[in-house]
Amino acid sequence: MTVPPFALVPASYVYLLRDGAAGTEVLLQRRGPVPYMPDHWAAAAAGHVEPGETAYDAARREAVEELGITDVSLEFAFTMQRSQFGPAVEERVDWFFTARSWSGEPRIVEPEKCAELGWFGLDALPQPMVPHEAHALAHLSSGVGYLTFGWDARPSGGGPSSLAEAGSPETQGGNR
């Protein structure tokens, strides 16, 4: 069996949260004319983890680069493993953080990448959303530490068992 090329791409996401009139709100960006998911709503700050950088450091850097804010009080939410099967396998490991405290007023720093910023209730997200981020936001308050996205069927080799199909508590937050 020939093994396809494999790449692991790590990224960090920051969801700024605040209390709104109807509950918790999240700051999202509408992606501009970029190659991946243009005109879709996504985390206001997110990006790849650079070599030698921790996921926390990447999250703080992205908050400065994309929103112009500092002193972000990050809270770890969960990790998501994503996959894209095909001729070349691309696996992604995403770390999601929330923050309710920071210095500065969030603003668009990269207008060539971000068309708009907006606050939205977690139960009233705009459309279209980047699919794996809609999945992440749906599980933001679940307390689950590990999510998957991109598998139609659970791959072999570990993780929760086939009890997932029956809705076992061990798999809450998995790709269903």
Side-chain angles (χ1 to χ4, degrees):
M1 176 172 120
T2 303
V3 177
F6 177 83
L8 180 64
V9 182
S12 289
Y13 296 72
V14 180
Y15 290 126
L16 298 183
L17 303 176
R18 71 178 186 188
D19 293 328
T24 301
E25 295 178 337
V26 61
L27 184 66
L28 299 175
Q29 69 159 280
R30 187 168 57 82
R31 298 171 60 79
V34 293
Y36 180 73
M37 299 271 171
D39 293 317
H40 282 65
W41 289 91
H48 295 137
V49 177
E50 295 178 356
E53 187 176 51
T54 69
Y56 279 91
D57 290 340
R60 288 184 190 97
R61 176 181 49 75
E62 292 293 343
V64 171
E65 290 177 0
E66 297 187 11
L67 299 172
I69 59 173
T70 59
D71 302 318
V72 180
S73 296
L74 296 174
E75 293 288 330
F76 174 73
F78 48 77
T79 300
M80 180 186 292
Q81 182 181 1
R82 296 189 289 133
S83 186
Q84 174 184 325
F85 296 103
V89 175
E90 182 177 282
E91 297 276 334
R92 291 186 175 254
V93 175
D94 300 328
W95 288 277
F96 290 84
F97 300 93
T98 61
R100 289 184 173 269
S101 174
W102 56 86
S103 294
E105 185 64 32
R107 66 187 196 288
I108 298 172
V109 177
E110 299 175 317
E112 69 281 3
K113 296 179 182 178
C114 175
E116 180 180 359
L117 289 175
W119 290 97
F120 300 92
L122 288 174
D123 58 352
L125 297 175
Q127 294 299 319
M129 286 283 304
V130 171
H132 75 275
E133 290 202 49
H135 182 68
L137 286 167
H139 291 87
L140 196 59
S141 300
S142 69
V144 173
Y146 171 77
L147 298 175
T148 62
F149 189 86
W151 280 275
D152 292 333
R154 201 168 294 282
S156 62
S161 68
S162 60
L163 293 174
E165 305 313 314
S168 164
E170 72 179 323
T171 64
Q172 294 299 311
N175 190 26
R176 293 184 281 174

